[in-house]
């Protein structure tokens, strides 16, 4: 995963798994023992220690977990370069003459990512958490009884515990894949050379983000997806807009892919797949698998602790309590929403429920998400397809009619807001656009705070901004409120005011 020889990765490891770390002497009985120092574990530990609780945090690998080391942070660093490249590629359209032959220096891109990741890793470092008052234990954690965790030969007794051990890439049962070898998010950020030809299996968020980045860096990318199109869980209009962009980047999409097999060839690997009635047999240098996540439940002694596990991970109730009422879970280990911000807010629920008289419910969280392709797709709440018996009215604002998007040359995209019919109550929203992730929080806040779409129209949005698209939707909604009588009255009033001038 990390390049131990690389200077920046050494700095990262010094922060998040220092080789000279000496585990502290355990306190008598901890208020909270947290297993796993990814986002869920870190937020739980820091929050609980800040409240004065005696907290132990156990991590077997790199503190910061997936997000810092093999997920959000490295992927978004690469995506930033991919955008920079697209801006150079499209510069002529903005009147900028760029010398032809500009290329991406892949080792420099990876070095930038490692440098930034190492810098950010200070926030998740063992020393920082020790300074916050947390007892940090490096080693594999395992329950040895319903109220004890073992780590590196030490027993940690607890009043409450939290399982925050996250998830890892699932290995799909594709014939020949294991034998040929493949990359996942755990290994792809360790690449030092750009694969000339890259097969990406799975056109979900991880697959699409990385497929686009590598295509922009110069790889010939083949994106294989079992379902039709890309981003199968997303709004179909949104997915269609992103797909157009991926195709422009030169990605070959092999969707509705069936009978997928992988073979190891003399000098490369071969992807064989049926897509839309045609058979493909494609030589590639690397295969990146971006389908599915498996919860890290093995070896934790969950049985011994009386913690039940189901297929999707640790079983929890709405208070994030496991079947052992003293043990909670948070983050990817138990959540269908596998996002850093979801892990963060679940951790806050756990703190409240484990250390106080618990009343916070996970189902009360409004969890947005964003896929950081270019354009981005950000979503919160209901999709039209899930409305069921709820009657929904949808308002759409294309970026084509938003001045700032026109001036930015970023007209590809739209904002879609679903309201409960007959009201302006926002039930869900999708933004597709270059800055969708930055725009969505306004709509998420409106949902959380019960601000209707009509009221958003009253908020002055600075001109020219792409966020004006959201205010325009408010205007659209308000226009539907004008009855024929009000329109008639308004016209008469306008005519009268003209006459009095
Ligand atoms: C490529 C990629 C890109 C992503 N991009 C985004 C994004 O842009 N935005 C977003 O919101 N989310 C993103 N995610 C998802 C995000 O990374 C996860 O949702 C988040 O990291 C979950 O945090 P967590 O604390 O639940 O688990 P993790 O981060 O997985 O942390 C779990 C920790 O527990 C440790 N552990 C496991 N077992 C034990 C044990 N027995 N003893 C001790 N320690 C143990 C692990 O080593 C790990 O450090 C991305 C994921 C991937 C793979």
């Amino acid at each position: 995963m990390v390049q131990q020889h690389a200077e920046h990765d050494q700095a990262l490891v010094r922060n998040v798994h220092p080789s000279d770390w000496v585990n502290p002497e355990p306190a008598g009985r901890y208020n909270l023992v947290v297993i796993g120092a990814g986002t869920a574990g870190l937020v739980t530990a820091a929050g609980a220690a800040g409240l004065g609780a005696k907290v132990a945090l156990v991590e077997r690998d790199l503190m910061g977990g997936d997000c810092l080391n093999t997920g959000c942070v490295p992927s978004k660093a690469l995506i930033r370069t991919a955008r920079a490249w697209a801006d150079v590629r499209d510069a002529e359209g903005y009147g900028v003459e760029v010398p032809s032959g500009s290329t991406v220096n892949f080792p420099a891109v990876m070095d930038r990512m490692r440098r930034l990741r190492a810098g950010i890793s200070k926030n998740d470092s063992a020393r920082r958490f020790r300074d916050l008052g947390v007892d940090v234990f490096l080693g594999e954690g395992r329950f040895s009884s319903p109220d004890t965790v073992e780590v590196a030969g030490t027993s940690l007794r607890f009043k409450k515990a939290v399982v925050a051990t996250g998830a890892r890439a699932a290995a799909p049962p594709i014939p020949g894949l294991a034998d040929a070898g493949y990359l996942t998010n755990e290994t792809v950020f360790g690449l030092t050379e750009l694969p000339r030809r890259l097969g990406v299996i799975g056109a979900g968020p991880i697959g699409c983000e990385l497929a686009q980045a590598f295509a922009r860096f110069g790889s010939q990318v083949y994106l294989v997806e079992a379902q039709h199109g890309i981003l199968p869980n997303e709004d179909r209009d949104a997915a269609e807009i992103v797909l157009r962009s991926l195709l422009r980047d030169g990605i070959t999409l092999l969707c509705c892919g069936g009978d997928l097999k992988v073979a190891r060839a003399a000098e490369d690997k071969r992807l064989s797949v049926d897509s839309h009635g045609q058979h493909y047999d494609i030589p590639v240098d690397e295969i990146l698998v971006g389908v599915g996540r498996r919860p890290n439940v093995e070896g934790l002694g969950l049985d011994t602790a009386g913690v039940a596990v189901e297929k999707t991970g640790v079983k929890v109730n709405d208070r994030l309590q496991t079947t052992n009422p003293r043990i909670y879970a948070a983050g990817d280990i138990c959540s269908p929403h596998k996002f850093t911000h979801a892990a963060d807010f679940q951790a806050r629920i756990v703190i409240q429920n484990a250390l106080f008289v618990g009343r916070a419910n996970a189902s009360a969280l409004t969890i947005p998400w964003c896929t950081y392709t270019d354009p981005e797709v950000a979503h919160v709440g209901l999709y039209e397809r899930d409305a069921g018996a709820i009657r929904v009215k949808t308002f759409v604002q294309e970026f084509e009619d938003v001045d700032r998007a026109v001036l930015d040359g970023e007209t590809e995209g739209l904002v879609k807001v679903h309201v409960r019919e007959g009201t302006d109550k926002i039930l869900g929203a999708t933004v597709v656009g270059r800055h969708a992730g930055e725009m969505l929080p306004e709509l998420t806040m409106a949902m959380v705070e019960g601000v209707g779409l009509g009221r958003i129209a009253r908020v002055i949005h600075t001109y020219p901004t792409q966020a004006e698209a959201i205010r325009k939707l408010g205007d659209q909604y308000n226009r539907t409120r004008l009855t024929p009588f009000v329109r008639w009255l308004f016209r008469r009033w306008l005519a009268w005011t003209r006459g009095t001038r």
Side-chain angles (χ1 to χ4, degrees):
M1 190 280 301
V2 294
Q3 301 290 312
Q4 293 293 345
H5 58 275
E7 175 199 339
H8 302 308
D9 282 3
Q10 286 169 8
L12 171 89
V13 172
R14 272 198 301 279
N15 278 332
V16 293
H17 197 111
S19 57
D20 57 352
W21 188 257
V22 179
N23 286 341
E25 274 303 308
R29 193 173 184 214
Y30 287 96
N31 297 111
L32 204 60
V33 170
V34 183
I35 308 183
T39 305
L42 292 173
V43 174
T44 311
L51 291 167
K54 192 72 200 144
V55 182
L57 177 62
V58 181
E59 172 56 50
R60 67 178 176 190
D61 192 5
L62 302 179
M63 292 176 69
D66 264 7
C67 180
L68 171 69
N69 300 293
T70 58
C72 331
V73 169
S75 63
K76 270 73 238 178
L78 299 194
I79 284 169
R80 182 63 189 89
T81 300
R83 268 192 184 209
W85 160 246
D87 287 342
V88 171
R89 177 193 65 189
D90 302 337
E92 214 179 299
Y94 294 79
V96 179
E97 284 177 20
V98 180
S100 61
S102 309
T103 53
V104 172
N105 176 348
F106 187 69
V109 173
M110 296 305 264
D111 192 59
R112 172 182 182 272
M113 176 273 285
R114 292 196 182 99
R115 175 170 52 80
L116 299 179
R117 180 173 63 178
I120 290 175
S121 72
K122 284 197 292 288
N123 301 330
D124 298 351
S125 70
R127 285 183 183 83
R128 174 166 178 255
F129 273 73
R130 182 186 59 196
D131 294 346
L132 290 173
V134 175
D135 281 356
V136 176
F137 291 85
L138 296 183
E140 179 112 21
R142 185 179 59 83
F143 290 100
S144 50
S145 81
D147 68 352
T148 317
V149 167
E150 295 288 318
V151 53
T154 307
S155 292
L156 311 175
R157 288 183 56 232
F158 62 80
K159 286 189 190 151
K160 300 280 171 61
V162 183
V163 184
T165 50
R168 63 184 184 277
I174 297 168
L177 182 66
D179 181 46
Y182 58 96
L183 300 166
T184 66
N185 70 295
E186 278 151 37
T187 45
V188 69
F189 302 112
L191 283 178
T192 47
E193 267 178 52
L194 181 70
R196 199 162 55 82
R197 301 157 304 178
L198 176 69
V200 177
I201 300 178
I206 295 175
C208 285
E209 286 183 2
L210 292 176
Q212 186 177 43
F214 277 87
R216 287 180 170 188
F217 296 158
S219 295
Q220 177 58 54
V221 175
Y222 302 92
L223 181 58
V224 182
E225 166 59 44
Q227 298 187 48
H228 186 66
I230 60 165
L231 299 174
N233 298 329
E234 254 332 317
D235 176 278
R236 295 330 297 151
D237 293 337
E240 199 50 47
I241 293 169
V242 176
L243 175 57
R244 285 203 295 271
S245 175
L246 298 194
L247 296 178
R248 252 197 334 270
D249 286 324
I251 292 173
T252 305
L253 174 68
L254 302 165
C255 67
C256 301
D259 201 19
L260 175 61
K261 291 191 197 84
V262 174
R264 200 209 300 246
E267 302 220 322
D268 47 30
K269 303 165 191 209
R270 297 194 88 86
L271 265 180
S272 126
V273 63
D274 295 335
S275 167
H276 285 273
Q278 238 186 298
H279 180 72
Y280 296 84
D281 189 20
I282 301 162
V284 292
D285 300 297
E286 294 285 0
I287 296 172
L288 170 66
V289 174
V291 280
R293 310 282 299 158
R294 281 191 61 182
N296 292 324
V297 291
E298 300 82 2
L300 273 169
L302 294 173
D303 261 6
T304 315
V307 173
V309 170
E310 46 196 8
K311 204 168 154 228
T312 50
V314 165
K315 187 174 173 184
V316 286
N317 63 20
D318 205 19
R319 306 243 162 97
L320 297 179
Q321 206 169 24
T322 69
T323 45
N324 176 340
R326 297 213 267 175
I327 301 178
Y328 291 75
D332 283 9
I333 187 65
C334 62
S335 173
H337 301 290
K338 299 201 184 322
F339 307 107
T340 292
H341 45 272
D344 180 331
F345 276 74
Q346 285 169 5
R348 294 162 196 241
I349 287 183
V350 165
I351 294 171
Q352 193 172 332
N353 290 346
L355 298 183
F356 300 99
V357 184
R359 279 287 170 267
N361 289 333
S363 59
L365 294 175
T366 301
I367 301 176
W369 51 85
C370 184
T371 299
Y372 297 91
T373 42
D374 185 10
E376 299 173 348
V377 183
H379 179 85
V380 63
L382 189 98
Y383 288 102
E384 253 165 318
R385 61 171 188 253
D386 299 329
I390 306 169
R391 292 178 72 88
V392 162
K393 184 155 173 55
T394 300
F395 294 86
V396 178
Q397 177 62 56
E398 309 264 354
F399 279 118
E400 263 170 20
D401 298 319
V402 177
D403 288 358
R404 183 57 187 268
V406 173
L407 298 168
D408 286 340
E410 295 171 355
T411 50
E412 201 163 41
L414 48 81
V415 184
K416 228 186 219 194
V417 173
H418 312 298
V419 297
R420 188 185 286 273
E421 201 172 88
T423 76
D424 70 344
K425 184 182 163 63
I426 301 173
L427 300 176
T430 300
V431 184
V432 196
R434 229 188 177 203
H435 314 284
E438 304 290 346
M439 288 177 62
L440 189 72
E442 179 177 357
L443 289 161
T444 309
M445 184 155 99
M447 275 184 74
V448 171
E449 295 302 322
V451 176
L453 188 56
R455 272 175 66 198
I456 288 182
R458 288 195 238 149
V459 178
I460 301 177
H461 288 60
T462 39
Y463 177 88
T465 52
Q466 295 196 18
E468 272 198 304
I470 297 173
R471 199 223 65 234
K472 281 169 177 271
L473 284 170
D475 290 340
Q476 270 191 40
Y477 169 80
N478 285 338
R479 279 198 293 276
T480 66
R481 307 287 297 157
L482 292 178
T483 59
F485 174 69
V486 173
R487 277 179 215 274
W488 173 82
L489 210 61
F490 187 57
R491 273 201 300 273
R492 293 293 303 260
W493 182 76
L494 282 178
W496 179 78
T497 52
R498 271 200 299 274
T500 56
R501 269 195 219 124

